[in-house]
Amino acid sequence: MQFINEQYKVVEEKSTDLYGTTYVVEDIQKSDSLKHLRTVNLQNETRDFIEYMKNNFYDYSTYFHPNLIAFHFFNRIILIDYKQVTVNQYYYIYDYFEGINVFEYCKGKHSDLILNLVAELCAAVKFLHLRGFLLGSIDINDLQVVHCEDGDHLK
């Protein structure tokens, strides 16, 4: 697979699971900027998630918080490599980042740094809760530390 919906050029496959695949892609309509693209296979286990995203994606795309990944787009995959697809798959686009798992990052770090990351996690969860979003769970692999100009931060 090289192109998805004539807009996203696949650079690298990051991971695959039962529900879909995560890719690093170039958005060829937006100056070849790098993004993550997550495909979601339409199946019984993902049907509720897909309906939820159809109804709520706009809300997610309008929120900004420095410790949350920005979501940019959610839609159905129509074309792969310029050919119509016959399988129902959806995708969403979110910020590209290079991170390290927060638990790996914290090994051997000073407690003040770890407390700063915990405070960033709490601020992000509070931000979501104040907007009516409840988190059922947070997967430990979803918590990443990224290096920024002003230091390392949780995403």
Side-chain angles (χ1 to χ4, degrees):
M1 177 182 333
Q2 293 182 347
F3 288 94
I4 299 172
N5 283 3
E6 299 181 327
Q7 181 174 356
Y8 303 104
K9 179 181 177 185
V10 174
V11 174
E12 173 188 3
E13 182 178 314
K14 297 279 280 191
S15 63
T16 299
D17 57 34
L18 294 173
Y19 308 112
T21 304
T22 301
Y23 299 96
V24 175
V25 296
E26 289 179 1
D27 187 339
I28 61 175
Q29 293 180 2
K30 294 188 179 172
S31 304
D32 295 329
S33 60
L34 290 178
K35 302 284 184 205
H36 279 115
L37 182 146
R38 170 70 178 169
T39 64
V40 181
N41 303 323
L42 180 61
Q43 55 196 42
N44 287 335
E45 295 84 359
T46 61
R47 196 171 305 277
D48 289 342
F49 171 76
I50 290 169
E51 285 304 313
Y52 179 83
M53 289 299 281
K54 285 179 183 177
N55 295 326
N56 296 291
F57 181 77
Y58 178 76
D59 291 336
Y60 281 115
S61 67
T62 60
Y63 295 145
F64 174 78
H65 187 276
N67 301 111
L68 295 175
I69 304 297
F71 286 89
H72 300 286
F73 199 67
F74 176 82
N75 206 345
R76 187 174 171 271
I77 296 177
I78 299 167
L79 300 169
I80 293 179
D81 295 335
Y82 303 103
K83 296 176 188 160
Q84 289 272 333
V85 296
T86 56
V87 177
N88 278 330
Q89 273 189 313
Y90 290 81
Y91 70 97
Y92 56 93
I93 300 292
Y94 60 99
D95 283 343
Y96 173 78
F97 61 92
E98 298 259 350
I100 182 172
N101 178 282
V102 68
F103 296 100
E104 290 297 319
Y105 177 85
C106 287
K107 288 180 180 174
K109 299 289 186 195
H110 192 271
S111 61
D112 287 343
L113 178 62
I114 296 170
L115 287 174
N116 286 340
L117 295 174
V118 170
E120 289 180 351
L121 174 62
C122 291
V125 170
K126 179 181 177 182
F127 177 87
L128 292 172
H129 283 186
L130 289 174
R131 284 150 185 81
F133 292 98
L134 299 177
L135 301 174
S137 67
I138 299 174
D139 188 304
I140 61 171
N141 295 318
D142 291 340
L143 300 175
Q144 300 285 311
V145 176
V146 296
H147 182 71
C148 302
E149 292 175 6
D150 62 341
D152 295 341
H153 297 282
L154 188 74
K155 287 276 187 187

